[in-house]
Amino acid sequence: MIKNLHKTAIIAGEREVSFSEMLGRINLFAQHTPKERGSKTVILSENREGWIYAFFSIWQNQGIAVPVDASSTVSDVAYILRDCTPACIWTSREKADTARQAVREAGIEIKILLIDDLELAPAKDEEEWCGTDNTKEMGDECAMIIYTSGTTGSPKGVMLSYNNLMANIRSVAEVVPIFTEDRRVMILLPLHHVLPLMGTVIGPMVCGGGVAICPSMSGPDIMDTLCRGKVAIFIGVPRLWQTLYAGIKKKIDASMVTRALFNVCRAIGSRRLSRFVFQSIHKKMGGHIDYFVSGGAALDAEIGRGLRTLGLDVLEGYGMTETAPIISFTRPDDIIPGCVGLPMPSVECKIVNGELCAKGPNVMMGYYNRPEETADVIDKDGFLHTGDLARFDEKGRIYITGRSKEIIVLSNGKNVQPCEIEYKIEKYDDKVKEAAVVQHGDMLRCIIVPQEEWARSLSDKEVEEALKREVVEPYNLTVSNYKKLMSIFVYRGDLPRTKLDKLQRFKLKELCEGKREADNTGKTGQDTEVLTEEFAILKTYIEEEKNVQVRPEHHLETDLAFDSLDMVGLQGFIEQTFGITINADAMSSFRNVQEIADRIAVSHTRKEVEHVDGNRLLSESTEHLELPVAGLSHRFCARAFKALFTTYNRMSIRGTENIPSDGQFILAANHQSYMDGAIVMAGVPWKVINNCFFYATEDHVNNAMLRTLARRHNIILMERRNLKNSILKMAEALKMGKNIVIFPEGTRSRNGSMGNFKKTFAILSKELGVPVLPVCIKGAYDALPRGTHFYKPAKITLEYLPLMTPSENEDYAQFAERVKAKIEERVG
């Protein structure tokens, strides 16, 4: 077990305890712990030295340890006492009252022992520990019972044998030497969970590396413990790494020099270089960190990549209490952010109907006194059904794609993984502390806990409006309709989570309902719709167009993710249906859909429900409209940019044979960066360049010089005050035999993935009989992602796909979706 018993086993503040002293204290505790083989002993205490002595003393006496959350209520503890009927409780003086009350509530006779009485009492140093032999002798017997954290509301006692535990240790100490006698581990997470118990107590003690106990979760205590303890392995949960990375990245981004160094390190991908460049960060953490270990929940891949760029390797583990806890883990020489690595060497994994199943010596003995529930999760072949959705890559690595029990199924059959959306919302960490997505009727609602410092001086209504504008709207522009957030719920407090940061989703509905009752004091408020005929007509139109559920209080932009092109469609619909014109400024000024309906009710001249008629829209007179004109410099600029892309970005161009040299086309491309307008022209023949007109928002052409350049380079500006004129200008250009270049997403990608395609180009194509030239851009997001100004030499691929035309029975939206799918297929 331990080669050098005089080596430090435990560091707790300024106090150091050798392995020899630790063994002596375990023997001292064992004199008071029940000595009957198989007797159960509860540990109810905060993390401390005595917790370790109490735990190993139970094993010393061949008993079963039952660790319990120190923050549990009296009722929670009483439930566990009734369920497992222990003979004894080890508790701290601070938790003694809870233990006594729980014993009374449980109605059982039980001995209560105080850790404080023996933790620092004189004890004889020992040279050997018979507990090691017990783990071998009692291999198939129960070593401990861990009560699940209750993400579903029903804690169960998971029985883990010595063999279950030792299979885990062998995999990360012998087969893959992560835990060694030279690596000290920090105790930070509460020890009643199997991950910190195995990873920060049992593993390092069995391997001889020792531990350093952090007194709290505060930043100064963590840093002090890392330095004082010369910690090599730091085990935490995703939210801890998220907070750590956000703090470091904010300081890096504050300086152009450090930001450039970060980008260089990310591009090169050398651990040695990163550790050299960011050595000051490593020194602040004590300078001995070899690995961060993340478990308990999925780690956002972007955080993993960011920490690795800083030279901080994050080993992700995947498992559950029922597997003690490891099923798979990333190997130090094969770290892929977002991947939970290969299965443990002794574990067999398979996927059944999308669900990951595991079989091996790590799988639990079963749930205590619950044979039927055990049979529900362990099949007749011995495979544990995890409840997690996963996939394998070509090397057998595991990628967790979601939790089957958490999937939200909408009435249209679409499946939504809430955690995927929550990660994206929480990236707006200057305003969002945490988020949770729930189903609300037939739409998605997001519970958002705002950052306290930012929201302190704001009312809930002001916070809600800011979050809709600055968080929800940007998110909605990047996702499919069914993943859009249609409402938010501001909650000033902490969302219900387990100690390992898992969201207790079963409590979210109760949380919302409780706050709404408190806020509304019995009023139905926004849950009551006042339906007028005008509102019903608008509601039907918007729901068909946007595939969302509409309520009277919804704002067009913040709640329903309307962009400028959607506004054009709505303006056209209102004009055709009600005979009135509402200009763009007035449309944006309405607070919600009900106000628009009220305005229509007092002003309409007719009420004839029609769908948007593209032919009617495009047949309006365009004599009053003036098109921009391309000068000679337009072609030379296009070729200059092509030279830049081919040399600096090693751009490859494919499919130029699909570009008509004489006939017309509407070029529709995905939108990854500011440079995309110049990128898509790189493969267009010289004689065709001047015949191509671009469609761009006037927000990007905000001074006289830029407006002059736009007029000289065939740029049709999207005028927010008169959106219809912008569409008509494109139609006029096409009628004159020219080509149109358009980015149907309407805005650049925020994360590299494609957003929804607006159907303006489809209307133009179908009504004017002009084919669409789909274009796929890859790599431009990496070269110039949103929010950066440094243009990087990332490789760019440009591909022109075969022309596409709408079929007779295909509507605008269907054709737009078909073009998007073709491009998305190539983007990959």
Side-chain angles (χ1 to χ4, degrees):
M1 174 186 172
I2 304 159
K3 296 178 182 177
N4 180 7
L5 289 175
H6 300 291
K7 179 183 174 182
T8 299
I10 301 172
I11 296 175
E14 296 183 0
R15 177 174 160 72
E16 294 190 6
V17 179
S18 69
F19 276 98
S20 180
E21 182 183 348
M22 180 187 78
L23 296 180
R25 293 192 178 282
I26 290 171
N27 283 339
L28 177 62
F29 272 64
Q31 293 171 22
H32 301 269
T33 299
K35 296 179 175 57
E36 295 79 16
R37 183 167 180 157
S39 65
K40 296 181 283 293
T41 298
V42 164
I43 305 177
L44 177 66
S45 168
E46 64 281 357
N47 291 357
R48 59 192 297 172
E49 280 180 63
W51 201 107
I52 299 171
Y53 306 146
F55 178 80
F56 283 120
S57 76
I58 298 167
W59 279 11
Q60 181 92 318
N61 291 344
Q62 300 180 335
I64 300 171
V66 186
V68 175
D69 184 356
S71 65
S72 296
T73 65
V74 169
S75 295
D76 289 339
V77 178
Y79 167 84
I80 292 173
L81 296 180
R82 282 193 298 269
D83 192 59
C84 70
T85 59
C88 171
I89 297 178
W90 276 110
T91 189
S92 64
R93 185 166 284 114
E94 185 180 337
K95 301 298 175 183
D97 283 344
T98 299
R100 294 187 190 102
Q101 292 177 49
V103 168
R104 284 197 296 270
E105 186 174 317
I108 60 176
E109 291 290 330
I110 190 170
K111 183 166 63 171
I112 298 176
L113 301 172
L114 284 182
I115 289 173
D116 305 67
D117 292 345
L118 299 178
E119 187 173 46
L120 299 178
K124 179 185 175 183
D125 290 0
E126 296 290 344
E127 298 300 316
E128 61 179 349
W129 181 41
C130 62
T132 307
D133 297 326
N134 288 347
T135 61
K136 297 176 182 177
E137 177 192 338
M138 302 174 64
D140 290 329
E141 294 186 34
C142 185
M144 58 187 182
I145 299 175
I146 301 285
Y147 278 82
T148 55
S149 50
T151 58
T152 60
S154 56
K156 298 183 288 288
V158 177
M159 297 186 293
L160 298 174
S161 70
Y162 290 97
N163 282 343
N164 293 153
L165 305 176
M166 294 312 295
N168 274 263
I169 292 173
R170 281 192 293 272
S171 70
V172 294
E174 297 174 13
V175 181
V176 182
I178 296 170
F179 288 84
T180 69
E181 63 180 354
D182 300 320
R183 290 181 177 140
R184 185 173 287 116
V185 182
M186 181 167 71
I187 296 178
L188 177 68
L189 303 176
L191 295 177
H192 67 280
H193 284 289
V194 70
L195 168 64
L197 178 51
M198 281 293 295
T200 67
V201 173
I202 300 174
M205 290 307 187
V206 170
C207 298
V211 302
I213 302 175
C214 187
S216 78
M217 295 284 285
S218 72
D221 279 344
I222 290 174
M223 289 303 181
D224 180 66
T225 306
L226 289 174
C227 295
R228 187 191 300 272
K230 298 180 180 179
V231 172
I233 299 176
F234 182 1
I235 296 178
V237 292
R239 193 168 295 276
L240 176 64
W241 310 128
Q242 181 179 336
T243 303
L244 175 68
Y245 177 63
I248 295 173
K249 191 65 165 61
K250 190 170 290 185
K251 292 179 180 177
I252 287 174
D253 289 343
S255 164
M256 185 179 294
V257 174
T258 52
R259 193 164 61 242
L261 287 171
F262 182 86
N263 290 332
V264 168
C265 287
R266 169 166 279 192
I268 294 174
S270 165
R271 186 175 189 262
R272 181 176 296 179
L273 174 64
S274 291
R275 290 177 79 89
F276 173 76
V277 171
F278 298 108
Q279 58 185 293
S280 62
I281 294 173
H282 291 258
K283 286 180 180 176
K284 287 179 182 176
M285 296 182 186
H288 292 82
I289 292 289
D290 285 330
Y291 304 115
F292 286 165
V293 176
S294 182
L299 176 69
D300 186 2
E302 181 58 31
I303 294 171
R305 279 190 289 269
L307 289 171
R308 193 157 200 213
T309 300
L310 299 171
L312 298 166
D313 286 342
V314 183
L315 305 180
E316 285 193 68
Y318 164 73
M320 49 201 306
T321 304
E322 289 83 346
T323 55
I326 305 173
I327 290 176
S328 70
F329 62 96
T330 53
R331 283 26 174 195
D333 60 350
D334 186 34
I335 298 174
I336 302 174
C339 170
V340 294
L342 292 165
M344 218 165 74
S346 55
V347 171
E348 178 186 353
C349 290
K350 66 179 181 179
I351 292 177
V352 178
N353 297 324
E355 180 186 15
L356 182 66
C357 301
K359 177 181 179 181
N362 60 333
V363 174
M364 68 173 178
M365 302 169 66
Y367 296 120
Y368 184 72
N369 280 341
R370 300 195 185 193
E372 291 182 1
E373 292 185 45
T374 301
D376 286 341
V377 296
I378 301 178
D379 63 28
K380 58 183 177 60
D381 296 320
F383 278 92
L384 174 73
H385 290 247
T386 66
D388 287 312
L389 305 177
R391 65 177 178 86
F392 296 124
D393 68 8
E394 68 283 353
K395 292 188 177 179
R397 303 185 193 93
I398 298 174
Y399 293 78
I400 303 300
T401 58
R403 180 82 180 151
S404 60
K405 292 180 180 178
E406 293 179 357
I407 290 177
I408 295 173
V409 182
L410 302 175
S411 65
N412 58 10
K414 296 288 188 180
N415 292 344
V416 177
Q417 274 291 349
C419 60
E420 173 190 330
I421 299 174
E422 289 155 5
Y423 285 142
K424 293 179 179 179
I425 295 300
E426 288 176 357
K427 284 183 178 179
Y428 297 89
D429 57 7
D430 59 330
K431 291 183 174 58
V432 178
K433 181 180 178 183
E434 55 181 331
V437 173
V438 296
Q439 189 169 5
H440 185 63
D442 196 36
M443 63 183 182
L444 299 179
R445 163 180 280 185
C446 190
I447 303 170
I448 297 181
V449 178
Q451 289 289 2
E452 293 175 20
E453 187 175 344
W454 167 71
R456 188 176 294 119
S457 61
L458 303 175
S459 67
D460 280 2
K461 185 65 177 175
E462 290 171 326
V463 169
E464 180 179 327
E465 290 175 354
L467 289 173
K468 284 180 177 180
R469 182 176 61 253
E470 300 174 39
V471 175
V472 175
E473 183 179 358
Y475 161 78
N476 280 345
L477 290 172
T478 67
V479 297
S480 302
N481 283 333
Y482 71 93
K483 291 184 180 180
K484 282 182 166 57
L485 298 173
M486 293 297 108
S487 69
I488 67 171
F489 182 87
V490 175
Y491 180 69
R492 298 187 191 243
D494 293 325
L495 295 181
R497 292 181 180 274
T498 70
K499 290 299 175 65
L500 286 192
D501 202 41
K502 292 182 180 178
L503 198 58
Q504 294 178 304
R505 296 188 184 276
F506 70 97
K507 293 183 179 179
L508 295 177
K509 183 178 180 182
E510 178 185 338
L511 180 151
C512 289
E513 289 177 350
K515 184 173 185 298
R516 185 166 61 243
E517 284 179 13
D519 289 347
N520 294 342
T521 59
K523 296 177 183 178
T524 56
Q526 293 181 348
D527 288 336
T528 302
E529 290 187 7
V530 181
L531 286 177
T532 61
E533 186 178 1
E534 290 78 14
F535 173 78
I537 293 171
L538 278 181
K539 173 182 166 74
T540 300
Y541 167 78
I542 295 171
E543 289 182 341
E544 289 179 355
E545 289 293 304
K546 301 289 289 181
N547 192 29
V548 296
Q549 188 175 47
V550 177
R551 296 180 65 81
E553 69 272 12
H554 281 161
H555 187 277
L556 290 178
E557 295 174 349
T558 56
D559 291 321
L560 301 175
F562 261 59
D563 62 13
S564 55
L565 299 181
D566 295 321
M567 290 290 193
V568 171
L570 181 58
Q571 284 175 291
F573 173 78
I574 291 172
E575 187 172 332
Q576 293 172 41
T577 306
F578 300 105
I580 63 171
T581 300
I582 302 178
N583 64 40
D585 285 345
M587 190 71 76
S588 297
S589 69
F590 290 115
R591 289 182 299 176
N592 52 49
V593 178
Q594 186 65 60
E595 281 197 3
I596 301 174
D598 292 344
R599 167 68 179 278
I600 292 170
V602 299
S603 306
H604 69 82
T605 59
R606 64 170 180 266
K607 202 179 295 181
E608 300 171 6
V609 179
E610 302 177 9
H611 288 288
V612 173
D613 186 345
N615 183 271
R616 179 175 173 179
L617 174 67
L618 300 181
S619 64
E620 292 190 22
S621 172
T622 58
E623 292 180 2
H624 62 293
L625 302 177
E626 182 181 353
L627 291 177
V629 178
L632 185 62
S633 63
H634 184 55
R635 288 177 176 171
F636 285 105
C637 284
R639 286 299 178 253
F641 274 114
K642 179 180 180 180
L644 168 67
F645 300 139
T646 53
T647 54
Y648 186 68
N649 297 101
R650 310 181 310 286
M651 183 169 71
S652 61
I653 303 174
R654 305 170 188 162
T656 52
E657 68 278 4
N658 293 317
I659 305 173
S661 56
D662 296 317
Q664 279 184 277
F665 58 84
I666 298 171
L667 190 154
N670 60 308
H671 203 359
Q672 294 195 335
S673 76
Y674 268 132
M675 307 296 288
D676 291 350
I679 288 172
V680 296
M681 297 306 291
V684 175
W686 175 266
K687 68 175 184 177
V688 178
I689 292 174
N690 271 15
N691 283 332
C692 293
F693 284 74
F694 295 81
Y695 187 51
T697 174
E698 64 182 355
D699 292 349
H700 297 148
V701 186
N702 51 18
N703 60 55
M705 184 183 76
L706 290 176
R707 284 193 289 273
T708 300
L709 284 173
R711 285 195 297 271
R712 300 283 176 84
H713 289 270
N714 277 4
I715 297 177
I716 296 173
L717 295 180
M718 184 185 73
E719 306 168 34
R720 294 198 182 277
R721 288 180 173 274
N722 201 330
L723 295 167
K724 188 188 296 184
N725 277 355
S726 307
I727 307 295
L728 291 175
K729 283 183 182 180
M730 287 195 288
E732 180 62 16
L734 291 169
K735 291 174 183 178
M736 293 169 58
K738 307 297 184 182
N739 308 309
I740 292 293
V741 176
I742 191 169
F743 297 96
E745 290 165 272
T747 185
R748 289 169 294 136
S749 172
R750 290 184 177 271
N751 56 12
S753 61
M754 286 175 60
N756 292 322
F757 271 27
K758 312 305 176 188
K759 59 190 179 184
T760 304
F761 80 97
I763 294 173
L764 292 167
S765 173
K766 183 155 188 170
E767 298 303 332
L768 301 178
V770 179
V772 171
L773 177 66
V775 177
C776 169
I777 302 171
K778 293 173 68 174
Y781 177 80
D782 297 322
L784 190 63
R786 214 180 237 271
T788 63
H789 302 288
F790 177 68
Y791 186 56
K792 294 178 282 188
K795 180 175 175 55
I796 294 176
T797 302
L798 175 65
E799 185 173 7
Y800 300 91
L801 307 178
L803 293 172
M804 297 178 67
T805 55
S807 61
E808 266 187 46
N809 57 355
E810 199 170 30
D811 63 26
Y812 307 135
Q814 290 169 332
F815 180 51
E817 190 61 31
R818 184 158 64 91
V819 173
K820 179 196 171 187
K822 188 63 67 175
I823 297 173
E824 201 165 31
E825 187 181 295
R826 304 300 296 172
V827 172

